[in-house]
């Protein structure tokens, strides 16, 4: 496999044509509020964030249970800003039932495909009926307004229904990655004080049955707050061990009235979800997101970034335990789009599987991770055969930085140089994106058109002073509706994590670069920043060079203490199988290339060829964990690791 340096991708800039401009939903909104284009919209939002976010809520036609007194209460203490004070809004009512009232009850709302090929779909009316059935079943089990409910399911229809049913009755969902081990599951349920846990009896993965994590039933039984375990039977012949207060999903709400269930009235400060994020130290952070804030931010992101609305079908290849799932499910439905779910391995039994799903479910917008793209690219054994991608017109990506070769493959091979790739970067903590592309602006390879309007983004130095261009920290100068209500059970940690570094400014923790053309790039987490021989640079800058070396699939760059340079560069490279036995030559070639392209002082002290790199299940390479293990320090919270044995490989190299 050969790779493409970023400098060779200039010919892959995507330009919107008249068709894209005519239907671009962010342009429709901009003109609706009197702005000529996205730049003018961004400038107006900067001047008057209340006007902007109020206009977004109105344009989305959100239906309030109580109208807000104003858009926000104050901005002087941004960590305490209340959005839409005095109002109440239920996100499920707006995502589903609102469309029935608007006459779209027979329109498709949700479609799905399982790994065994089973497919189906529900209209908005059918989805609403299933939500009400499950919601009544939850009420019957003692779940009420404000109670917390764990949801640990793969990307099946039940996962979407569970999220929507909890929200409809005002319960608070705790999404948990379907592949977590018992300890990680219990940590999150215990912190959240879960009263019920919705889980499957296993799932299919690459044609095999995967059962419940060992030790989970016993661990659940020890949770003092847990009263019910609701089991979704995804495997026909696997009976789970004894579970506390076990109930079957299919029996929830059976026999209850079929009259529509009235949505619980949810004040704008009422929690909708506790979304846990992991760090390298300390317990996972329980980010609390509210109904109204998430509806406004995720709904507008679906429309403005992904360009979806009525008539579209949106999907994201992810897990319900990661934030992109509620963004695409709830945000997509609020924007009026149908949503498609795929609960299987995207390259099994072959790499056409994902494109077959796209064709068969009529997907018009699909989100993927660069890691998945690299895997598909590596298995593309017949590049001369055209790919049939059906109605797909928008691609999107989040979670990690691109390698230029993977970007080129997706854009040229899959999108045939005509489909935009929406880079989308922000996070759980803001309910969506800070930086994004749109279908109304040119898209530069691996880059972002800039911050989304209303987010108040800036690039700053270590003291929080604006830089305008160059390399620096990503900061937010003001709050936005999708920001956390708090951290669950730990409000002080919320303030100290994001608002305590620079007065009145949000510290996001991303290292970004803005070039002379005002194109933004994410260069990695700022905690990963390298400073070698006095030069400060992001690891992604090094990795872009490494990934351009023949036979390299992906890489990770870290800095380690050095008596001469202060910090020395160490690189870990995963390569094609054919090169596993030629470590010395390839390591030397990588080191030489880095020195030639970035400067001799940045030549790495060591280049290690590895079989795998420690990463989260959402695809992010954990550089800080790599560095800690390589230096013999504690690895911190590793519950999100996809393959813990990758750490052993790093330890053995030190």
């Amino acid at each position: 496999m050969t790779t493409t340096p970023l400098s060779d991708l200039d010919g892959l800039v995507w330009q919107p044509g008249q068709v894209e401009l005519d239907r671009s939903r962010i342009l429709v909104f901009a003109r609706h509020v009197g702005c000529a284009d996205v730049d003018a919209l961004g400038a107006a939002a900067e001047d008057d964030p209340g006007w902007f976010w109020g206009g977004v809520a109105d344009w989305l036609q959100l239906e309030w249970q109580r109208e807000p007194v104003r858009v926000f209460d104050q901005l002087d203490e941004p960590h305490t800003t209340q959005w839409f004070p005095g109002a109440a809004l239920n996100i499920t009512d707006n995502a589903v039932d609102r469309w029935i009232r608007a006459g779209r009850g027979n329109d498709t709302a949700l479609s799905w495909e399982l790994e065994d090929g089973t497919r189906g779909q529900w209209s908005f009316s059918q989805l609403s009926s299933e939500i009400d059935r499950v919601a009544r079943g939850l009420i019957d089990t003692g779940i009420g307004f404000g109670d917390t409910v764990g949801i640990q399911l793969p990307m099946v229809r039940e996962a979407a229904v569970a999220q929507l049913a909890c929200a409809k009755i005002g319960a608070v969902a705790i999404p948990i990655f379907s592949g977590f081990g018992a300890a990680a599951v219990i940590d999150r349920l215990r912190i959240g004080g879960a009263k019920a846990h919705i889980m499957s009896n296993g799932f299919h993965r690459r044609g095999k049955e995967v059962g419940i994590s060992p030790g989970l039933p016993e661990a659940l039984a020890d949770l003092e707050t847990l009263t019910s375990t609701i089991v979704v039977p995804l495997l026909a012949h696997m009976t789970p061990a004894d579970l506390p207060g076990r109930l079957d999903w299919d029996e929830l709400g059976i026999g209850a009235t079929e009259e529509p269930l009235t949505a619980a009235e949810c004040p704008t400060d009422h929690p909708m979800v506790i979304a846990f994020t992991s760090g390298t130290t300390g317990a996972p952070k329980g980010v609390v997101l509210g109904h109204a804030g998430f509806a406004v931010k995720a709904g507008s992101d679906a429309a403005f970034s992904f360009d979806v609305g009525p008539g579209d079908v949106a999907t994201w290849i992810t897990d319900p335990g990661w934030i992109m799932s509620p963004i695409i499910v709830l945000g997509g439905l609020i924007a009026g789009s149908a949503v498609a779910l795929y609960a299987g391995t995207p390259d099994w039994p072959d790499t056409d599987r994902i494109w077959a799903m796209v064709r068969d479910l009529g997907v018009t917008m699909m989100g993927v991770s660069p890691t998945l793209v690299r895997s598909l690219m590596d298995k593309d054994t017949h590049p001369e055969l055209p790919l049939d991608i059906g109605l797909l017109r928008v691609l999107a990506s989040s979670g990690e930085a691109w390698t230029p070769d993977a970007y080129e493959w997706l854009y040229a091979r899959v999108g045939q140089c005509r489909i935009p790739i929406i880079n989308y970067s922000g996070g759980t903590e803001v309910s969506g994106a800070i930086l994004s592309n749109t279908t109304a602006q040119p898209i530069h390879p691996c880059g972002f058109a800039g911050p989304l309007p209303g987010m108040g983004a800036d690039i700053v130095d270590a003291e929080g002073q604006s830089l305008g261009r160059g390399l620096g920290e990503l900061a937010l100068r003001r709050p936005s509706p999708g920001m956390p209500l708090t951290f669950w059970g730990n409000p002080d940690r919320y303030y100290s994590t994001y608002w305590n570094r620079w007065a009145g400014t949000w510290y996001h923790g991303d290292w970004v670069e803005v070039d002379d053309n005002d194109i933004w790039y994410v260069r990695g987490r700022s905690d990963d920043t390298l400073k070698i021989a006095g030069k400060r640079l992001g690891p992604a800058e090094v990795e872009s060079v490494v990934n351009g070396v023949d036979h390299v699939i992906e890489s990770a760059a870290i800095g380690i203490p050095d008596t001469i340079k202060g910090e020395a560069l160490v690189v870990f490279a995963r390569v094609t199988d054919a090169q596993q036995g030629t470590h010395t030559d390839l390591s030397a070639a990588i080191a030489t290339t880095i020195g030639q392209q970035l400067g001799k002082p940045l030549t790495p002290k060591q280049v290690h060829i590895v079989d795998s790199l420690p990463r989260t299940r959402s695809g992010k390479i954990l550089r800080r964990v790599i560095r800690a293990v390589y230096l013999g320090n504690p690895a911190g919270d590793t519950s999100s690791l996809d393959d813990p044995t990758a750490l052993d490989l790093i330890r053995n190299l030190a």
Side-chain angles (χ1 to χ4, degrees), residues 106 142 146 167 171 282 300 363 414 467 473 488 573 608:
N106 292 327
S300 61
V363 171
V414 177
L467 294 173
E473 296 273 5
W488 188 262
H608 296 289

Side-chain angles (χ1 to χ4, degrees), residues 435-621:
L435 305 177
S436 182
N437 294 315
T438 75
T439 59
Q441 299 165 284
I443 296 175
H444 290 252
C446 307
F448 298 83
L452 280 175
M455 295 307 294
D458 196 5
I459 177 173
V460 304
D461 62 18
E463 284 71 47
Q465 300 299 311
S466 294
L467 294 173
R469 290 193 175 98
L471 285 164
E473 296 273 5
L474 177 61
L476 302 179
R477 293 302 191 186
R478 63 176 57 90
S480 56
M483 285 180 173
L485 300 174
T486 185
F487 282 179
W488 188 262
N490 197 346
D492 291 341
R493 190 180 181 192
Y494 168 55
Y495 173 73
S496 63
T497 300
Y498 297 112
W499 295 105
N500 196 34
R501 183 165 181 171
W502 307 302
T505 299
W506 171 286
Y507 164 71
H508 196 65
D510 276 348
W511 186 236
V512 295
E513 180 179 4
V514 182
D515 70 11
D516 291 339
N517 297 312
D518 291 327
I519 307 304
W520 290 61
Y521 298 90
V522 175
R523 298 305 192 192
R525 296 295 294 172
S526 56
D527 287 350
D528 301 333
T529 300
L530 306 168
K531 189 172 184 180
I532 299 167
K535 180 177 176 61
R536 196 176 185 210
L537 73 164
E541 189 173 356
V542 177
E543 292 158 10
S544 178
V545 173
V546 177
N547 297 337
V549 176
D550 282 353
H551 309 296
V552 175
I553 299 172
E554 61 183 357
S555 60
I558 66 168
I560 65 171
D562 184 83
T563 55
I564 297 175
K565 296 182 178 180
E567 193 169 58
L569 179 64
V570 175
V571 171
F572 304 83
R574 186 167 74 88
V575 301
T576 56
D577 292 341
Q579 293 297 312
Q580 293 292 336
T582 58
H583 294 184
T584 302
D585 291 346
L586 189 52
S587 295
I590 291 171
T592 299
T593 302
I594 293 172
Q596 290 173 342
Q597 295 196 27
L598 298 181
K600 191 173 181 181
L602 297 176
T603 300
K605 184 174 185 177
Q606 189 72 49
V607 175
H608 296 289
I609 306 300
V610 297
D611 295 322
S612 63
L613 290 168
R615 65 173 69 252
T616 67
R617 292 174 176 88
S618 60
K620 295 180 182 179
I621 294 174

Side-chain angles (χ1 to χ4, degrees), residues 149-164:
V149 179
I151 303 174
Q152 185 188 11
L153 296 169
M155 201 68 166
V156 292
R157 62 185 185 181
E158 291 86 353
V161 171
Q163 173 83 71
L164 289 159

